[in-house]
Amino acid sequence: MQTFKNSSSGAIVLSIADRIVENRAYLSEIDGKIGDGDHGVNMAKGFSMAAERLKGQDSSLAGAFDLLGTLLMTEIGGSMGPLYGVMFTQFGESIESKDVIDAALFSRMLHAGLEAIQSIGSAKVGDKTLIDAFVPAVEAFDSATADGKSFAEALSALSDAAEKGRDSTINLIAKIGRASRLGDRSLGVLDAGATSCAIILTTLSIGIANRLQAA
């Protein structure tokens, strides 16, 4: 069975922050086509603040998640701060007392984050939101483990599904938020939330895959 250590894995969150900051202009460009155009700027602000506090620290993954989640909820504007904030906070709480994380615990962590988002938002798959990347990713991970795939293989399935979910939003009409006012005019554009969600999940998967050990 493959596992990874909670301790000293906070660097994974630094990698996620780097990827969000790298894509700041791209995320805002996408958002500007059907939304406020500030998604990348707001996300980069929150993730950069977390990165500054985590640099040089030997943080656990749980601790890094909690720090990031708190900053996103308190320091950035827009609708995404509370959503991603509560997601990362729940990620952290799900694993904070665990020394070693296996595929089953990682799945529980994913579900806790997803359920937290769904508890404060009404979006469903097909509404052109981050849910269109998140739900298929979690389902793919669970399906892979149920089929006897390794943790690493399940992480790969998660990444692939997150990216396919992101891409599916091109052909969806926005049902939630400012973009929903555009109706059919929201077709043909990626959803910024689904795009940032795919970045987060794929970078998280890569970071964990690089740390997996045979138990």
Side-chain angles (χ1 to χ4, degrees):
M1 182 175 67
Q2 294 176 317
T3 65
F4 72 99
K5 293 180 180 178
N6 191 352
S7 62
S8 301
S9 290
I12 293 173
V13 173
L14 283 173
S15 297
I16 296 172
D18 286 344
R19 292 284 291 127
I20 291 295
V21 172
E22 286 171 11
N23 285 276
R24 173 174 48 198
Y26 177 57
L27 290 170
S28 286
E29 177 187 352
I30 295 171
D31 191 39
K33 294 179 179 178
I34 57 174
D36 294 329
D38 60 359
H39 183 60
V41 172
N42 285 338
M43 290 285 285
K45 175 185 174 184
F47 279 79
S48 292
M49 291 176 68
E52 285 301 316
R53 298 192 190 185
L54 289 169
K55 282 176 183 172
Q57 304 295 318
D58 188 26
S59 301
S60 66
L61 184 58
F65 278 151
D66 185 64
L67 172 65
L68 175 59
T70 300
L71 282 172
L72 292 177
M73 284 191 284
T74 59
E75 299 292 341
I76 77 170
S79 61
M80 301 306 289
L83 292 173
Y84 278 136
V86 74
M87 180 190 81
F88 282 115
T89 299
Q90 287 301 307
F91 279 0
E93 288 185 5
S94 298
I95 62 173
E96 65 180 349
S97 62
K98 308 298 184 182
D99 295 327
V100 175
I101 300 167
D102 60 10
L105 178 56
F106 183 71
S107 174
R108 291 197 294 274
M109 185 196 87
L110 291 174
H111 281 278
L114 176 58
E115 288 164 11
I117 287 175
Q118 292 173 323
S119 73
I120 61 173
S122 58
K124 306 180 299 295
V125 172
D127 286 345
K128 200 179 180 93
T129 70
L130 70 90
I131 294 294
D132 290 296
F134 202 167
V135 169
V138 175
E139 290 177 346
F141 184 87
D142 288 346
S143 178
T145 56
D147 288 342
K149 300 289 180 63
S150 69
F151 197 167
E153 290 170 322
L155 288 169
S156 179
L158 181 150
S159 296
D160 289 345
E163 292 178 347
K164 288 177 182 176
R166 171 202 64 201
D167 293 345
S168 76
T169 63
I170 293 175
N171 300 314
L172 296 175
I173 296 172
K175 307 266 182 66
I176 300 287
R178 179 177 176 179
S180 63
R181 300 178 225 162
L182 298 175
D184 290 349
R185 285 181 292 161
S186 63
L187 278 169
V189 180
L190 283 171
D191 177 69
T195 303
S196 61
C197 186
I199 290 171
I200 289 166
L201 292 176
T202 55
T203 309
L204 175 62
S205 296
I206 292 168
I208 292 172
N210 289 337
R211 285 169 169 76
L212 289 178
Q213 301 173 342

